[in-house]
Every structure is written in C-alpha cells, then in structure tokens.
Amino acid sequence: MSLVFTPGPDRIVSNSYFEAGTVVRLPDRAWLNLYEPGTARRLLDAAAPVLDIPPLRQNLEVDGWPHFAAVVDHPDPTQSRQVSSPPSRSVPTDTE
C-alpha cells in the first residue's frame, strides 16, 4: 500500500521551500515530515482500520490526506515532543 499526498487547495507537498518529505495543511499550517521516524507507521496505523483491501490487490494507492489529521491532530503518546529546560546551575558570585 502506498499513501499518496498530492498538492491541492489548502495542501502543500514539499518541492523546494520546505524540507524534503514535508506535507502541509493550510490554513492552520499543520505539517508532517514523512521522513521523520515513526510518521509512516502512524499514518499506516491510521489508514489500516478504514481500508477495505481486496485480497488479490497487490499495488494499492490510497489518498494520504484523510489520515493526515489522525496523525497531526492526535500526537503519538510514545514520542515526547516537549522540550525540557536544562538543569539550573549555580553561578559563583564574588562573595563565595
């Protein structure tokens, strides 16, 4: 199965402006980098339950945009995307 992202109204597929593998949904500017580890797996997991795949079909192309929202709007709970601040260090003063 191939998930296909084609450009269209309110949809951008990277060609040169964004980094390779990026797809963007407008107007909210939500984006996915298809090369980021785990992204393809999450898209396939989102698509699999709703697909009716004939058993003899070997090369199946599926529109990826309907599954984009499932991945972007519901972040992967196993991936921590929060940036933690570095531990604070005491700064020596002249009185020490």
Side-chain angles (χ1 to χ4, degrees):
M1 175 174 73
S2 298
L3 290 172
V4 179
F5 290 89
T6 56
D10 295 335
R11 297 174 177 174
I12 298 173
V13 176
S14 66
N15 192 8
S16 61
Y17 184 73
F18 299 100
E19 59 188 35
T22 301
V23 291
V24 182
R25 176 182 65 195
L26 298 175
D28 67 349
R29 298 184 183 137
W31 64 274
L32 273 177
N33 183 330
L34 302 176
Y35 294 147
E36 185 176 299
T39 300
R41 180 65 203 200
R42 291 176 53 220
L43 283 165
L44 290 172
D45 288 345
V50 297
L51 294 177
D52 184 21
I53 303 173
L56 298 177
R57 187 86 186 257
Q58 291 184 357
N59 298 322
L60 179 64
E61 286 190 2
V62 176
D63 182 11
W65 287 108
H67 311 293
F68 177 95
V71 173
V72 170
D73 298 339
H74 306 291
D76 184 0
T78 64
Q79 297 287 327
S80 175
R81 291 185 176 244
Q82 296 178 349
V83 177
S84 59
S85 58
S88 61
R89 294 187 291 172
S90 62
V91 177
T93 61
D94 290 338
T95 59
E96 291 183 5

